Amino acid sequence: MSTVKEVFKNTERALADAGIEDPEFEAGVLLEDIGGMAPAEVQLSPESEILPEKAAALAAAAKRRSEGYPLQYIIGSWDFYGRRFSCGEGVLIPRPETELLCECVIKYFAKRPAPRIVDLCSGTGCIAITLAKEIAGAKVTAVELYDAAFSYLERNNAAFGGCVSAVQGDALESFGEFDCVVSNPPYVAAAEMPTLQKEVLKEPETALFGGEDGLDFYRAIAKNWYGHISSGGFITFEIGETQGRAVEAILKENGYYGVSVWEDYSGLDRIVTAMKQ
Ligand code: GLN
């Protein structure tokens, strides 16, 4: 039988050889999830033995990861804003930049309790569920069109006590009245699609491709939902790093005011916020 230390080193080496950026971190995630070992165990009991079937499962996972399959799909979940969300093929993986989108909404409603919020193109539901949990009295509706993604949304919603209303439908078909529209829509432009990392290309194209210039969803959502936002309401999008000015213009053309573009942790334009009079 191999030891924990040997298996960790083998996993790390396999990932490093495949050019994975942070092989130590990813080996730790795989050991914890597939090997069932807490990170401390690798440090504290490096000589303890690992069952052959676990070692084999880890080797298989490392191979899959080395071939460019996303780590998050291998382990079937990922953390977002301090909570763990199920994810897998057919749904966009929760990303740390998207936490900033949630923060903008949480700040806006810090002194305005019980907002009605709609999250469009909801995917795993990580945005909707975070807002439902973090904003006092929030009533959150999550809209997702595609079957595979919608089933993750429903599963995550159930895991968090059914805190949002999940609606399967087209984000461009507006309904109801809300104090906030929030969305991380597909925003990758046609020319950029082939340049995406191989891991990202394993994610659904329907969650990435935003039309020729990547802006189709911003145009449609800004226009179609304007009449469904209350006076003093808020709209916010995650955007691609080159899209700040264009999305600002779209929001202004559609009658919103107070448009601001915010940067992510890497100093790239990532979030646009605006209000309705
Ligand atoms: N941020 C994603 C990327 O890695 C795109 C997600 C989206 O289109 N909403 O390209």
Side-chain angles (χ1 to χ4, degrees):
M1 270 202 277
S2 347
T3 66
V4 166
K5 188 169 137 196
E6 282 162 358
V7 170
F8 182 79
K9 282 290 157 204
N10 289 342
T11 309
E12 188 183 4
R13 192 169 324 112
L15 299 179
D17 288 348
I20 304 289
E21 214 171 283
D22 193 346
E24 189 184 351
F25 167 73
E26 294 208 13
V29 171
L30 291 177
L31 232 69
E32 183 176 4
D33 195 80
I34 294 170
M37 272 168 289
E41 230 176 301
V42 181
Q43 306 292 329
L44 298 176
S45 342
E47 303 305 332
S48 66
E49 289 187 333
I50 185 163
L51 291 171
E53 51 273 29
K54 275 195 182 172
L58 264 160
K63 182 166 183 290
R64 220 163 172 219
R65 179 68 193 99
S66 301
E67 291 161 359
Y69 199 68
L71 179 68
Q72 298 89 336
Y73 283 178
I74 293 173
I75 69 168
S77 63
W78 202 243
D79 286 345
F80 181 87
Y81 216 97
R83 296 182 182 84
R84 182 150 280 225
F85 290 88
S86 289
C87 64
E89 278 187 31
V91 72
L92 193 79
I93 297 164
R95 288 161 162 69
E97 304 88 277
T98 309
E99 294 177 342
L100 297 171
L101 183 63
C102 292
E103 264 167 32
C104 286
V105 180
I106 292 165
K107 276 195 195 133
Y108 190 78
F109 290 104
K111 294 200 182 86
R112 299 174 172 88
R116 297 159 297 171
I117 298 171
V118 64
D119 170 34
L120 304 174
C121 312
S122 196
T124 58
C126 62
I127 297 168
I129 291 167
T130 299
L131 297 177
K133 293 287 182 192
E134 299 291 329
I135 301 174
K139 276 191 65 184
V140 184
T141 304
V143 180
E144 171 56 48
L145 180 59
Y146 296 98
D147 290 343
F150 190 72
S151 68
Y152 279 103
L153 169 59
E154 286 195 302
R155 189 193 302 187
N156 285 318
N157 192 26
F160 290 105
C163 60
V164 307
S165 310
V167 174
Q168 187 165 12
D170 190 338
L172 308 188
E173 283 167 20
S174 51
F175 60 87
E177 197 190 42
F178 296 93
D179 306 304
C180 176
V181 169
V182 55
S183 184
N184 172 20
Y187 58 66
V188 181
E192 281 170 52
M193 286 298 294
T195 71
L196 296 175
Q197 278 182 316
K198 58 180 184 297
E199 284 82 357
V200 179
L201 290 169
K202 297 283 190 306
E203 295 182 89
E205 188 183 311
T206 48
L208 298 167
F209 181 53
E212 189 56 31
D213 62 0
L215 301 170
D216 283 4
F217 285 80
Y218 304 116
R219 288 192 196 92
I221 292 172
K223 179 166 182 277
N224 298 1
W225 287 84
Y226 185 83
H228 299 266
I229 303 177
S230 60
S231 166
F234 189 62
I235 184 165
T236 182
F237 293 122
E238 179 173 320
I239 57 162
E241 63 206 54
T242 61
Q243 296 172 330
R245 295 301 144 227
V247 176
E248 179 177 2
I250 289 168
L251 285 164
K252 285 182 177 161
E253 276 160 30
N254 281 282
Y256 300 89
Y257 80 104
V259 185
S260 304
V261 179
W262 308 86
E263 291 176 354
D264 64 16
Y265 311 109
S266 317
L268 302 169
D269 287 350
R270 188 60 62 200
I271 309 291
V272 177
T273 58
M275 286 168 286
K276 181 176 167 178
Q277 211 95 48

